[in-house]
Amino acid sequence: MANMDSSRAFVKDVKRLVIKVGTAVVTRNDGRLALGRLGALCEQIKELNSQGYEIILVTSGAVGLGRQRLRYRRLVNSSFADLQKPQVELDGKACAAVGQNSLMALYDSLFNELDISSAQLLVTDSDFRDKDFRKQLNETVKSLLSLKVIPIFNENDAVSTRKAPYEDSSGIFWDNDSLAALLALELKADLLVLLSDVEGLYSGPPSDSKSKLIHTYVKEKHQTEITFGDKSRVGRGGMTAKVKAAVNAAYAGIPVVITSGFAAENIIKVLQGQRIGTLFHQDAHLWEPTKEVGSREMAVAARESSRRLQALSSQERKKILLDIADALEANEKLITIENEADVAAAQEAGYEKSLISRLVLKPGKISNLAKSIRVLANMEDPIGRVLKKTQVADGLILEKTSSPLGVLLIVFESRPEALVQITSLAIRSGNGLLLKGGKEAKRSNAILHKVITEAIPDTVGSKVIGLVTSRDEIPDLLKLDDVIDLVIPRGSNKLVSQIKSSTKIPVLGHADGICHVYVDKFADIEMAKQIVLDAKIDYPAACNAMETLLVHKDLVQSGALNELIVDLRIEGVMLYGGPRASSLLKIPQARSFHHEYNSLACTVEIVDDVGAAIHHIHHNGSAHTDCIITEDQEIAEIFLNQVDRPKIRKCNG
């Protein structure tokens, strides 16, 4: 299957679709039936029907076909004298009646050749005003679809009560395009496909070389920019009618694709998620790329908005966070679609598994993020807290209070959930934010940014959170020490080092996450086994995951080391050893103790005592997170006091 465009990923959930065939597709330029196109269309429907899709067909062409047939019959039965008389235009309703009979006979014949049954359903505008009719319509279609029968709808022009059926745009529907949209809604379809004689909607007349195909229609952008050409050569309204019907259906919740009915297998390609035709979707505005702005302009806008954010009350900032949490949950499906597109692209590009692991938003992740935001919203306000109060002199008291930093530039890699976490913290603390995520999470970051910023009220402004989309912008941003107050790089040693050497702005960041767990001889082994497994396998791509396991030498003789190794191997952890461990355990020797795996792999080494463990950490660690597991209070204190970085202790003493 061809690669699925991320904006078309909704097709994975499509089961029932309405297909509308325009008159220009059904007939040739001379008015005769386009048998080849109709045959190809029926073959596509046969294929989809066999795959389990429920197909509802809406077809035009009856009036044109009837007119062509009646003209031919009149010509055959006319005398020479009759032909000399002024020719009167044929009655449209008579043409519809004759043409409908011929059209359905053709569909019936084509489908019979493919071992499929079809059914004719003629409707009028007034029918839909009757609730009982609509209920019966649903029941009939449901019954037909369960029998694998293709329902074929058409407006019954032969008995229509409208005086000008080709021009009247009043009522419930007024042509087969609007009928198809109405049926898609009434019959709860998952997709509407409108087949035309052109590839889709263009920015101008398709015959104009300057016109460009619009792949995704954004109402707010395109409704005032498009210039329509002439209406259909044979139908009622051409592209104008299709766009009107598509917009109505899309904004009622039914995705619509307008594409060519001339190209073979276009319907199948749409259902494969290929980027053909023009997509109409109620969430299309979320897929529009953010308008690029200059680095300074973005930073200044973030500062101005942050000042408005700081001026809000704690309750008002809390309300923004709660709205963001709601917005994330409401858009979970859309976020998942974009994230899946990022993951698929990363896999196709051959990225490391550890990076892909950090990229994935697992099921339930959005809900957990929303819950975390609500917890943050209900925490004590970090702004305006009195941290210290000193009486300098009589009547003069000096207070130290917490306040926002200003504008933060945060560069992070891979993890799209980091965008949500960082943004939430910035809003709660009244800071403006500029975010630059990794290119591998481009779609995920873009949709998360849109969802979040659209939940921020205009009184603050969405520009309080700026999304930097190109790595080329980073050098310019790092020069803005007059606007940006702090840079926080979250990523590799190389990333942090590059940023530190490229800016005058204060930088808060760590490099590698080479984290150690030291299991002392006085450790509770059952407890140690749980901690070691959790530290390695819970989230191996995290920067605080265990990369080196240090084990006291006495645990070799007691068998505890073997228990730890067996548990790690059962969980699929690849083990490498230092000089002592590799020889004893018969495992490959680690090329370096200073290595961050970010995967289900770790280094194991045996040490003589807590002093040797501390020495190892000092020479090979990365000043991130180190842990001791022991029941001896004195040994624990030695470790905590001498390892000069963040530490974790588990001690029952």
Side-chain angles (χ1 to χ4, degrees):
M1 182 181 292
N3 290 335
M4 182 181 292
D5 182 76
S6 61
S7 65
R8 312 294 175 104
F10 68 88
V11 297
K12 293 189 299 182
D13 300 322
V14 171
K15 181 181 179 183
R16 178 177 295 181
L17 66 151
V18 174
I19 300 170
K20 187 268 177 178
V21 188
T23 303
V25 177
V26 173
T27 61
R28 303 183 311 190
N29 289 334
D30 61 2
R32 295 180 180 274
L33 280 169
L35 291 176
R37 285 199 293 271
L38 276 179
L41 170 68
C42 291
E43 287 181 354
Q44 284 188 83
I45 292 174
K46 155 73 174 179
E47 175 65 23
L48 295 173
N49 192 47
S50 65
Q51 293 177 17
Y53 288 98
E54 296 179 346
I55 311 295
I56 298 163
L57 189 62
V58 179
T59 184
S60 299
V63 174
L65 181 59
R67 180 177 288 109
Q68 191 271 337
R69 284 180 175 260
L70 288 175
R71 281 175 177 171
Y72 175 76
R73 292 300 174 192
R74 184 168 65 180
L75 178 63
V76 169
N77 296 316
S78 296
S79 64
F80 181 77
D82 292 332
L83 295 175
Q84 303 304 308
K85 299 177 183 178
Q87 299 299 304
V88 179
E89 182 59 38
L90 295 168
D91 177 61
K93 296 186 182 299
C95 292
V98 171
Q100 185 64 35
N101 185 55
S102 300
L103 186 62
M104 281 307 304
L106 179 61
Y107 274 118
D108 187 58
S109 176
L110 289 171
F111 279 128
N112 274 335
E113 289 295 321
L114 298 168
D115 294 323
I116 293 181
S117 297
S118 60
Q120 176 178 244
L121 294 96
L122 295 176
V123 295
T124 63
D125 178 271
S126 58
D127 291 332
F128 286 88
R129 303 180 191 279
D130 185 340
K131 291 183 179 180
D132 291 334
F133 166 81
R134 292 161 64 181
K135 180 180 178 182
Q136 185 59 53
L137 177 69
N138 273 277
E139 291 178 356
T140 300
V141 171
K142 181 179 179 181
S143 177
L144 291 171
L145 294 175
S146 69
L147 296 169
K148 294 284 189 178
V149 175
I150 307 298
I152 303 179
F153 282 87
N154 197 356
E155 181 180 4
N156 195 352
D157 289 325
V159 296
S160 174
T161 58
R162 286 181 293 170
K163 296 180 180 179
Y166 293 92
E167 298 177 1
D168 182 14
S169 61
S170 62
I172 295 176
F173 71 87
W174 51 92
D175 57 20
N176 276 332
D177 290 311
S178 55
L179 170 59
L182 174 62
L183 288 170
L185 293 167
E186 186 68 36
L187 301 174
K188 297 179 175 59
D190 303 306
L191 175 66
L192 168 60
V193 178
L194 301 176
L195 296 179
S196 178
D197 56 350
V198 291
E199 291 300 318
L201 176 62
Y202 285 80
S203 56
S207 57
D208 187 343
S209 60
K210 296 180 181 179
S211 298
K212 294 183 179 180
L213 179 65
I214 297 170
H215 289 288
T216 303
Y217 180 88
V218 180
K219 184 178 180 182
E220 296 78 4
K221 175 183 178 182
H222 293 122
Q223 64 181 348
T224 58
E225 293 183 1
I226 296 173
T227 302
F228 290 101
D230 297 333
K231 78 178 190 71
S232 170
R233 61 178 171 81
V234 282
R236 299 189 184 179
M239 190 56 71
T240 307
K242 287 178 175 58
V243 170
K244 187 172 183 179
V247 169
N248 290 340
Y251 282 82
I254 309 294
V256 183
V257 175
I258 297 177
T259 189
S260 172
F262 285 32
E265 298 191 344
N266 260 8
I267 302 171
I268 292 174
K269 290 177 180 178
V270 167
L271 290 170
Q272 289 176 338
Q274 294 189 40
R275 195 167 181 249
I276 61 170
T278 302
L279 170 65
F280 294 73
H281 197 287
Q282 61 182 356
D283 294 324
H285 64 287
L286 296 174
W287 298 320
E288 271 291 281
T290 305
K291 183 181 178 181
E292 294 186 5
V293 296
S295 300
R296 173 167 286 276
E297 181 183 352
M298 183 185 295
V300 170
R303 178 172 289 283
E304 292 175 351
S305 296
S306 71
R307 287 168 177 160
R308 292 192 290 271
L309 180 65
Q310 295 165 22
L312 298 181
S313 68
S314 177
Q315 286 300 312
E316 289 171 320
R317 277 183 278 109
K318 174 181 175 180
K319 174 65 164 54
I320 294 175
L321 287 178
L322 295 177
D323 289 344
I324 289 173
D326 291 342
L328 288 170
E329 289 181 331
N331 289 278
E332 181 173 5
K333 185 176 181 181
L334 183 58
I335 294 167
T336 300
I337 287 171
E338 294 298 287
N339 181 246
E340 288 175 349
D342 277 335
V343 172
Q347 290 171 334
E348 187 174 337
Y351 284 120
E352 293 181 2
K353 290 183 179 180
S354 59
L355 183 146
I356 295 173
S357 175
R358 295 194 296 270
L359 179 61
V360 175
L361 291 174
K362 297 179 180 178
K365 187 66 176 180
I366 297 300
S367 297
N368 289 335
L369 286 169
K371 290 176 183 176
S372 298
I373 293 173
R374 294 186 180 106
V375 171
L376 177 64
N378 289 305
M379 291 176 67
E380 182 181 357
D381 190 353
I383 301 178
R385 293 170 56 192
V386 178
L387 304 176
K388 186 177 181 181
K389 184 181 291 188
T390 305
Q391 184 171 351
V392 179
D394 289 341
L396 179 59
I397 297 176
L398 178 65
E399 284 189 353
K400 180 181 179 181
T401 60
S402 59
S403 62
L405 291 168
V407 176
L408 314 180
L409 169 60
I410 300 184
V411 183
F412 60 99
E413 297 176 342
S414 302
R415 299 184 182 92
E417 72 264 26
L419 184 147
V420 180
Q421 296 161 344
I422 296 165
T423 299
S424 304
L425 290 168
I427 290 172
R428 192 66 176 116
S429 58
N431 288 296
L433 200 57
L434 301 176
L435 292 165
K436 172 63 179 79
K439 63 180 180 180
E440 65 279 356
K442 181 178 179 180
R443 293 182 179 90
S444 304
N445 290 336
I447 190 61
L448 287 168
H449 178 259
K450 276 186 172 290
V451 169
I452 289 171
T453 53
E454 287 183 357
I456 297 174
D458 293 337
T459 51
V460 173
S462 61
K463 292 180 180 179
V464 70
I465 310 295
L467 184 64
V468 182
T469 57
S470 171
R471 179 180 293 181
D472 296 337
E473 296 176 73
I474 296 298
D476 291 335
L477 288 167
L478 292 175
K479 296 174 184 176
L480 302 178
D481 55 308
D482 60 326
V483 185
I484 298 173
D485 299 285
L486 181 66
V487 181
I488 305 177
R490 292 184 56 177
S492 66
N493 187 307
K494 181 180 179 181
L495 171 69
V496 176
S497 299
Q498 285 179 342
I499 288 178
K500 283 183 175 180
S501 63
S502 304
T503 186
K504 296 179 182 179
I505 305 170
V507 177
L508 175 65
H510 66 80
D512 295 332
I514 303 171
C515 305
H516 297 74
V517 173
Y518 167 55
V519 184
D520 186 56
K521 67 177 180 179
F522 297 112
D524 179 324
I525 297 305
E526 290 304 315
M527 179 192 299
K529 287 162 66 175
Q530 294 180 48
I531 293 173
V532 167
L533 285 178
D534 182 75
K536 183 68 262 182
I537 70 173
D538 179 60
Y539 192 177
C543 56
N544 63 342
M546 181 187 74
E547 303 294 10
T548 300
L549 172 64
L550 300 176
V551 180
H552 192 284
K553 64 180 182 180
D554 287 3
L555 299 184
V556 176
Q557 297 299 325
S558 69
L561 171 60
N562 188 59
E563 291 182 45
L564 291 168
I565 296 304
V566 169
D567 284 357
L568 287 168
R569 281 176 167 163
I570 289 173
E571 295 296 337
V573 179
M574 182 67 184
L575 300 175
Y576 299 90
R580 297 173 70 175
S582 61
S583 175
L584 177 67
L585 301 172
K586 303 293 189 274
I587 57 178
Q589 186 163 338
R591 286 180 292 178
S592 170
F593 281 128
H594 193 84
H595 181 70
E596 186 174 7
Y597 294 98
N598 282 326
S599 62
L600 283 175
C602 72
T603 300
V604 181
E605 183 57 317
I606 300 165
V607 294
D608 290 336
D609 53 26
V610 67
I614 293 170
H615 178 80
H616 181 102
I617 293 170
H618 282 170
H619 283 79
N620 302 294
S622 62
H624 197 293
T625 305
D626 300 303
C627 165
I628 180 172
I629 307 172
T630 185
E631 298 291 311
D632 189 298
Q633 181 71 35
E634 183 179 349
I635 291 176
E637 293 299 332
I638 291 172
F639 185 90
L640 292 171
N641 291 331
Q642 294 186 26
V643 175
D644 54 351
R645 62 214 56 181
K647 309 164 254 305
I648 300 173
R649 172 179 62 180
K650 184 62 181 179
C651 175
N652 292 336

